[in-house]
Amino acid sequence: MFVDALLSSHQGIKMLHSLLCDSSMKSTSFASEVSSAFHRSSIAAYRPSIMGGEHDKLDGGMVELTLDPHVNKTGDIWHICVEDLPRSDILYGYRVDGPRGWHQGHRFDSSIFLVDPYAKLVEGRRLFGDTSNKMAKFLGTYDFNSLPFNWGDNYKLPNIPEKDLVIYEMSIRAFTADESSGLDPSTRGSYLGVIKKIPHLVELGINAVELLPIFEFDELEFRRRPNPRDHLINTWGYSTINFFAPMSRYASAGGGPTNASREFKEMVKALHDAGIEVILDVVYNHTNEADDDNPYTISFRGIDNKVYYMVDLNNNGQLLNYTGCGNTLNCNHPVVMELILDSLRHWVVDYHVDGFRFDLASVLCRGTDGSPLDAPPLIRAIAKDPLLSRCKIIAEPWDCGGLYLVGKFPNWDRWAEWNGKYRDDMRKFIKGDAGVKGSFATRVAGSADLYRVNKRKPYHSINFVIAHDGFTLYDLVSYNFKHNDANGESGNDGSNDNFSWNCGCEGETTDTNIKALRFRQMKNFHLALMISQGTPMMMMGDEYGHTRYGNNNSYGHDTAINHFQWGQLEARKNDHFRFFSEMIKFRRSRHIFGRESFIGKNEVTWHEDNWDNTESKFLAFTFHDKSGGDIYLAFNAHDYFVKVAIPSPPQKRRWFRVVSSLPSMELLCLNMHNLLISCIFKTQVELVLLFSSNLETLSCTVISDTTVPKCLVDTNLESPDDIVPEGVPAIRKTYNVAPYSSILLEAKP
């Protein structure tokens, strides 16, 4: 094998690994204003010793080649020709030396072997969380022996329109790491583990997964030195080592980087075959190299700190920190911008991913000095790139430096956004805050106040109530305060603005009233999410009510706090899970929720004349459908019943129940001032209870099933009556909507 390698502080390094990974690639010239920043460099190649599934020590032989600037440098390009390299099982890295001018932003250290920023595979420890190898060295590697991955003759991309997406945010590791997954230990927490559980995703009904970071990261980075967090294991992965290599410890059975690459492709193919798209959560705002107080130099910092990171040359060359992680990637520098674009194209071309969610994307809107840019070159380049044209591109439109861009993110009519205002307004209204009814209406109607600009669409709003950072859905209705002491930061981490309500007791309780209210509130949130215009996103585990026991920043716990609990899923399969699954499928089967354009005045009727009353916490409205399939919805966030007039359905239609608000017998009996009510239900009769508004009087009437007021969805009812997808006739003109509940009617022939 013959490899012609070029080496410089950025593009030359790109060329070196491009040649290592593609022997057909032709030489390309690069120019750089900073490639001469370092004045001495070398490349080292190792043949590792494989012992016990780990490359425990680099004793298999090493060759280090020192580059002579008189021989190996032309202009700003360093270059070297290395012949007869083995086709695999080689680790390689760089040593780079240069000026010691800290105040000028330099951080050169020739004693450290550095990872190639363009390495397509990275070798580290083999087993996730193996504390016996916590100081493992990370180095680039390659594989020319394996055959190209076979995607199959009948393989095709799902190409799901953005308006039809239902996104499921999930972690590769946490999805199957728990023993309750029933998988072989060698497969738990791996790409192959996800494949085993695709039937669950299909049954749930989602059609896109948004994967927490899968770029190579060091899950034991907190354990490399004594500190208050040295008991943690980074399971979320927001601490990138390399932007091209898949996380090697997500390979099954400690298989290493080559197997990780293949198994990731197998996972993508299997998800695509099931009609599920793959969106990657990507972290281009910072790396794992930390800050200047406790640096973890592994790649970029040692190659050209001043290019790869934002530095303040007016403050002794200190790193700027808009990410809360000690450093900020210099995204709009031409060199870094090219690296990011090359990385994105790599994942689309080689791994067939369908899109990207950009963590702290407001960082990508800052100039090299940290100042906000109106038209960031990188954001525009991503929007206009032909290879990325089929991809979903989603911004988290804020950063830790206060650049909050929800509704204002530079977009070129391509970028979608995590809608943080949707999350906050949904939480406030459903829990019963005063004065937010109008905001709630705006959010369910598609957030036109934020996104009806130029050619943007409702689906550019990524609607969510829950995401990985923050409370789970169960914890949102179970805790008023965060409980983060286990994170080692004295409870100072995690958001204090959760807009949560514990329903009457902080944390776990045996009170049946409170427990019933919590599960009803979770259904209210899910119903609101699934009927809102825009693109809904839910989080892994909310389909059964996962709890982190009030920890709203659980990034460092490789335990049941984060792990999907498959036993709990089975226990809730016929009630809570059923409601979530049926609501997702109902949304996907009704085009009225996935509009291409914003709702016009004739496409929604707000049954409301009380907008100015800040104490009003009830909202009813009808989404109109041209074919007559109207949807009526009512949300009651009061702590008392609200009697509402049901509007007439379209001509030749009648209302059918999907979610219904006939009061639950169990709850009524518990709340009627110790009045014992005995009810016997038969197939053909139902008991109707009519209340005064103060719940002091009660009357009962037995009527035939054909005249009972029913709707399609009522979050106050027990399963299976809370949601009836095919619909049950409802013909009465008024309806008593229970406290903290919601209903959905569908007009059908």
Side-chain angles (χ1 to χ4, degrees), residues 222-223 225-232 294 484-490 555:
F222 304 125
R223 303 197 178 202
R225 60 178 180 84
N227 69 91
R229 296 189 294 166
D230 60 12
H231 61 293
L232 299 180
N294 299 287
N484 292 3
D485 291 343
N487 298 350
E489 300 186 54
S490 302
Y555 64 93

Side-chain angles (χ1 to χ4, degrees), residues 39 123 366 376 401 477 670 715:
H39 55 244
E123 178 76 84
R366 294 183 181 272
V477 299
L670 288 169
T715 60

Side-chain angles (χ1 to χ4, degrees), residues 71-123:
V71 177
N72 301 109
K73 186 179 180 186
T74 303
D76 285 340
I77 303 298
W78 295 78
H79 48 86
I80 186 172
C81 173
V82 182
E83 298 183 13
D84 298 325
L85 283 172
R87 296 179 62 86
S88 62
D89 296 328
I90 292 293
L91 308 181
Y92 73 97
Y94 305 121
R95 291 207 293 170
V96 178
D97 201 3
R100 293 294 189 268
W102 184 285
H103 64 286
Q104 296 176 327
H106 299 307
R107 302 294 188 270
F108 294 109
D109 186 342
S110 61
S111 68
I112 300 175
F113 287 104
L114 303 169
V115 174
D116 174 7
Y118 274 81
K120 303 303 187 295
L121 301 173
V122 171
E123 178 76 84

Side-chain angles (χ1 to χ4, degrees), residues 662 685-688 703-710 729-732:
L662 195 66
V685 298
E686 291 229 16
L687 185 66
V688 178
I703 58 179
S704 71
D705 185 57
T706 59
T707 60
V708 173
K710 292 186 178 181
I731 59 174
R732 287 178 64 93

Side-chain angles (χ1 to χ4, degrees), residues 13 92-94 112-119 121-123 137-141 216 241-242 245 289 297-300 303:
I13 288 176
Y92 73 97
Y94 305 121
I112 300 175
F113 287 104
L114 303 169
V115 174
D116 174 7
Y118 274 81
L121 301 173
V122 171
E123 178 76 84
K137 181 68 179 174
F138 292 85
L139 292 166
T141 186
E216 185 72 28
I241 287 176
N242 174 279
E289 294 190 299
T297 302
I298 197 167
S299 181
F300 309 97
I303 292 172

Side-chain angles (χ1 to χ4, degrees), residues 302-317:
I303 292 172
D304 205 327
N305 184 77
K306 191 168 68 172
V307 165
Y308 286 112
Y309 297 112
M310 295 182 190
V311 297
D312 186 354
L313 296 179
N314 296 318
N315 185 26
N316 200 34

Side-chain angles (χ1 to χ4, degrees), residues 374-678:
D374 292 332
L378 175 60
I379 299 301
R380 183 186 187 279
I382 293 171
K384 300 294 185 179
D385 190 273
L387 272 176
L388 305 178
S389 62
R390 71 168 181 83
C391 294
K392 283 74 178 177
I393 49 177
I394 303 168
E396 183 185 34
W398 53 80
D399 64 19
C400 295
L403 189 55
Y404 189 78
L405 295 175
V406 172
K408 298 176 290 185
F409 193 85
N411 56 81
W412 284 270
D413 298 324
R414 276 276 286 126
W415 284 80
E417 302 174 17
W418 268 26
N419 189 345
K421 291 185 178 180
Y422 178 96
R423 173 199 59 206
D424 296 346
D425 289 340
M426 285 288 133
R427 291 183 176 192
K428 291 175 185 177
F429 179 81
I430 295 294
K431 78 184 183 75
D433 283 3
V436 294
K437 180 169 67 175
S439 298
F440 177 79
T442 299
R443 299 297 157 242
V444 298
S447 296
D449 61 324
L450 301 175
Y451 301 110
R452 187 159 54 188
V453 180
N454 298 328
K455 296 180 180 179
R456 301 195 85 181
K457 304 294 184 181
Y459 52 73
H460 287 134
S461 171
I462 306 299
N463 299 331
F464 68 104
V465 177
I466 302 297
H468 65 277
D469 48 353
F471 282 145
T472 66
L473 187 57
Y474 179 89
D475 290 355
L476 183 69
V477 299
S478 303
Y479 293 89
N480 286 348
F481 309 100
K482 65 184 183 182
H483 296 264
N484 292 3
D485 291 343
N487 298 350
E489 300 186 54
S490 302
N492 294 318
D493 64 307
S495 175
N496 294 316
D497 301 320
N498 297 293
F499 307 115
S500 61
W501 176 43
N502 63 21
C503 296
C505 177
E506 187 73 358
E508 296 302 305
T509 181
T510 58
D511 189 304
T512 54
N513 278 338
I514 293 175
K515 291 170 69 175
L517 176 56
R518 287 175 176 176
F519 276 96
R520 190 159 76 252
Q521 285 288 74
M522 286 191 280
K523 290 191 288 185
N524 290 332
F525 278 118
H526 189 62
L527 173 63
L529 178 65
M530 289 301 146
I531 60 87
S532 294
Q533 301 298 318
T535 302
M537 182 188 78
M538 64 172 291
M539 192 182 74
M540 176 187 87
D542 285 344
E543 66 266 40
Y544 65 81
H546 183 84
T547 181
R548 295 173 179 162
Y549 303 99
N551 192 326
N552 74 350
N553 193 31
S554 62
Y555 64 93
H557 299 281
D558 189 34
T559 66
I561 288 179
N562 282 315
H563 294 171
F564 195 100
Q565 299 298 298
W566 293 92
Q568 292 182 30
L569 171 67
E570 286 304 313
R572 308 288 328 197
K573 206 67 176 287
N574 294 324
D575 43 58
H576 187 79
F577 172 83
R578 177 184 174 275
F579 183 91
F580 273 54
S581 174
E582 294 292 359
M583 249 340 289
I584 293 171
K585 294 169 184 174
F586 183 79
R587 176 193 172 86
R588 289 184 58 191
S589 64
R590 296 339 190 247
H591 64 83
I592 196 171
F593 300 122
R595 298 177 186 265
E596 284 279 1
S597 57
F598 287 94
I599 290 178
K601 63 180 181 179
N602 296 323
E603 294 174 315
V604 62
T605 298
W606 302 102
H607 307 293
E608 178 62 59
D609 54 10
N610 211 12
W611 291 106
D612 296 330
N613 182 358
T614 59
E615 295 303 313
S616 175
K617 305 172 186 178
F618 180 89
L619 181 66
F621 54 96
T622 299
F623 285 143
H624 298 297
D625 180 69
K626 292 180 180 179
S627 62
D630 288 10
I631 300 290
Y632 172 87
L633 292 134
F635 291 86
N636 182 15
H638 287 290
D639 57 2
Y640 53 81
F641 282 79
V642 173
K643 185 176 182 179
V644 60
I646 303 297
S648 299
Q651 289 187 351
K652 299 182 180 180
R653 301 267 173 161
R654 54 179 176 160
W655 292 118
F656 280 71
R657 178 178 78 175
V658 174
V659 183
S660 168
S661 191
L662 195 66
S664 163
M665 294 297 98
E666 177 184 358
L667 290 176
L668 292 176
C669 293
L670 288 169
N671 285 287
M672 292 314 299
H673 303 284
N674 299 317
L675 176 62
L676 180 61
I677 303 173
S678 298

Side-chain angles (χ1 to χ4, degrees), residues 125-128 172-173 185-193 216 246-264:
R125 70 184 68 84
R126 286 292 180 94
L127 299 176
F128 191 93
I172 296 291
R173 170 72 183 169
S186 65
T187 306
R188 295 175 196 161
S190 70
Y191 302 121
L192 296 188
E216 185 72 28
M247 177 59 172
S248 59
R249 285 167 301 290
Y250 289 166
S252 62
T258 299
N259 287 329
S261 176
R262 186 189 71 254
E263 291 175 6
F264 182 87

